Amino acid sequence: MVAKLTALGLPAVIMRCTYAFLSNRRQRVKIGDVVSEWLEMSAGMPQGSYLGPLTFVILIDSLRLTCMTHKYVDDTTMTEFLNKSDISWMQTYVDELVQQSTDSGMIVNARKTKECSLVQLY
């Protein structure tokens, strides 16, 4: 994340504040009267933080696919227009999305991934 913020050319003070916010964090879980031990967090954004949505937008904005792409919050739609005799390149685009997401530390949720094919007749 720090590398992405640096690439945006943000002032050093914002970089230091973001790094401080994300570094040396601990968490524990409480269920009823039972409290777990503290666990050092090495990755992730605290849920409900003001920086969470902003950092996610920065992460998802870095996805630069070679097909038509529409991004909204945590959804990405890839579009391909084909003539009847054309061969689809969508699997290549999906592989590209998975690779770029992995490189950015994101995971594509295959259970939430859908394919939609529309046929236009005229």
Side-chain angles (χ1 to χ4, degrees):
M1 179 46 114
V2 173
K4 291 189 182 297
L5 295 175
T6 301
L8 290 173
L10 294 175
V13 66
I14 292 176
M15 301 289 294
R16 286 192 303 272
C17 287
T18 304
Y19 181 78
F21 177 69
L22 295 174
S23 300
N24 302 314
R25 291 182 298 109
R26 301 181 319 152
Q27 75 175 26
R28 63 182 179 176
V29 177
K30 179 179 180 185
I31 300 175
D33 293 332
V34 180
V35 180
S36 71
E37 296 295 322
W38 285 102
L39 177 65
E40 192 79 27
M41 301 303 296
S42 60
M45 177 65 63
Q47 188 172 358
S49 70
Y50 289 111
L51 288 180
L54 175 63
T55 55
F56 185 80
V57 168
I58 291 168
L59 284 172
I60 199 169
D61 185 60
S62 68
L63 297 176
R64 303 286 182 203
L65 306 175
T66 54
C67 68
M68 186 184 312
T69 308
H70 309 281
K71 296 178 258 184
Y72 179 74
V73 190
D74 63 348
D75 291 324
T76 299
T77 301
M78 300 182 306
T79 305
E80 176 184 51
F81 293 100
L82 299 172
N83 293 317
K84 284 186 178 184
S85 61
D86 291 346
I87 296 173
S88 173
W89 289 91
M90 189 53 69
Q91 185 59 56
T92 302
Y93 303 142
V94 170
D95 294 343
E96 182 182 31
L97 170 70
V98 169
Q99 184 61 54
Q100 287 186 27
S101 298
T102 301
D103 293 346
S104 294
M106 296 183 286
I107 299 170
V108 175
N109 187 339
R111 293 180 296 142
K112 293 183 177 180
T113 301
K114 305 284 186 248
E115 177 184 13
C116 180
S117 298
L118 301 174
V119 177
Q120 190 170 16
L121 301 173
Y122 55 68

